[in-house]
Amino acid sequence: MQHSLICKGCWEQMHVPVLLRGVASAPFRAFGIRPSRMNPNTCTICELMFTKVMRARKICIDATIMFADLRGYTSLSQSQSPDAVSSLLDAFYDECASAIWEHDGLLNKTIGDAVMAIFNFPLKREEHARNAVLAARDIQRSWRDRRQALVAEHGLTASELGIGIGIHSGELSFGEFGRSHRDLTAIGTVVNTASRAQSVAQADQILVTQAVFERAQPDLKDSRSKPFRLKGFDTPIELYAA
């Protein structure tokens, strides 16, 4: 993946060309301005700006949340060496990050054997739900290709290295949460629903909510829904295979 030479966030929000790479970026780096770890096409100015803007602790945004989980990680961690487990996680994170950044998402968290991504913040995209679906498909496609080498290298079977993905869109709270430990992240029903959708997705499967299904047309025109009982929800939730 080829990264942007200037910060997309600063350019789109303020029309300021903050250089991220190359010799000309040296003056910016001298002042601590570097590519963000959440999305290398944005910069640390964006992160600082978000922190200052969010003195009120949070803002409400329309966004899409994606959770991706590496299936079988717990059992693999018990049967494989620490180096082997580490290399598997590195490969998983790399494939997820590449796809998320390619579609202008923010890799907000790595949680053990899972990742959480946000689309439509800080890079505003009208088709953020579609971007999340495309990123999820890229993750599954690239992981299937890379998995063959990992399976051979570690003596595993392909079924032990699948990825389950869940996606939901809607209004959520984004900001700094916590007292003793500040965490810049998203919270709310949208986040919980995406996480629950991921938890019921089978290996190599992408499940999206009706909100995503409606927003991501025509990419999901052939998708079929099925009701799922998700933990914490009183009624079944319709999820579509993407």
Side-chain angles (χ1 to χ4, degrees):
M1 175 184 176
Q2 185 174 1
H3 297 312
S4 174
L5 293 178
I6 67 171
C7 172
K8 287 185 176 181
C10 290
W11 179 252
E12 293 177 8
Q13 301 299 324
M14 303 181 296
H15 301 292
V16 176
V18 175
L19 295 171
L20 298 177
R21 294 168 181 85
V23 177
S25 68
F28 294 93
R29 291 178 178 269
F31 285 95
I33 301 172
R34 300 175 180 276
S36 167
R37 290 184 298 175
M38 294 189 198
N39 185 326
N41 294 316
T42 61
C43 74
T44 47
I45 283 182
C46 294
E47 294 177 352
L48 290 171
M49 188 185 310
F50 304 151
T51 301
K52 292 177 181 178
V53 167
M54 294 170 191
R55 290 301 185 189
R57 295 290 304 280
K58 64 181 181 180
I59 59 174
C60 186
I61 60 173
D62 178 56
T64 297
I65 299 293
M66 179 181 78
F67 279 90
D69 176 83
L70 181 60
R71 299 294 190 247
Y73 171 77
T74 301
S75 60
L76 287 174
S77 64
Q78 297 172 353
S79 61
Q80 298 291 315
S81 68
D83 286 344
V85 172
S86 178
S87 67
L88 288 172
L89 273 184
D90 286 344
F92 170 64
Y93 290 156
D94 287 347
E95 297 300 340
C96 289
S98 179
I100 291 164
W101 296 336
E102 179 69 26
H103 295 282
D104 294 330
L106 193 75
L107 179 54
N108 184 229
K109 287 179 177 295
T110 55
I111 315 161
D113 57 351
V115 301
M116 171 183 165
I118 301 171
F119 294 81
N120 207 36
F121 189 87
L123 300 176
K124 300 295 184 180
R125 297 291 182 267
E126 184 176 348
E127 296 186 330
H128 53 88
R130 179 175 182 267
N131 284 356
V133 170
L134 295 179
R137 288 176 173 174
D138 283 353
I139 289 171
Q140 296 289 23
R141 187 181 306 111
S142 60
W143 184 251
R144 282 193 293 269
D145 294 338
R146 189 165 185 177
R147 179 168 57 188
Q148 298 308 314
L150 293 170
V151 165
E153 180 181 351
H154 299 293
L156 306 171
T157 61
S159 61
E160 292 178 292
L161 287 178
I163 294 176
I165 298 177
I167 308 174
H168 187 33
S169 294
E171 296 288 323
L172 53 84
S173 294
F174 189 94
E176 284 192 310
F177 300 93
R179 295 177 183 272
S180 59
H181 172 69
R182 293 286 190 178
D183 192 15
L184 186 65
T185 190
I187 64 171
T189 302
V190 171
V191 179
N192 295 339
T193 304
S195 176
R196 298 308 185 194
Q198 171 270 122
S199 69
V200 297
Q202 298 177 7
D204 300 326
Q205 187 178 40
I206 303 166
L207 291 180
V208 307
T209 61
Q210 185 170 351
V212 176
F213 173 78
E214 293 173 352
R215 295 185 187 206
Q217 295 298 331
D219 294 82
L220 298 177
K221 60 183 177 63
D222 296 324
S223 297
R224 297 291 179 264
S225 68
K226 177 183 175 181
F228 287 84
R229 287 202 167 273
L230 304 182
K231 183 178 180 181
F233 292 82
D234 296 331
T235 58
I237 303 293
E238 290 287 327
L239 296 176
Y240 295 76

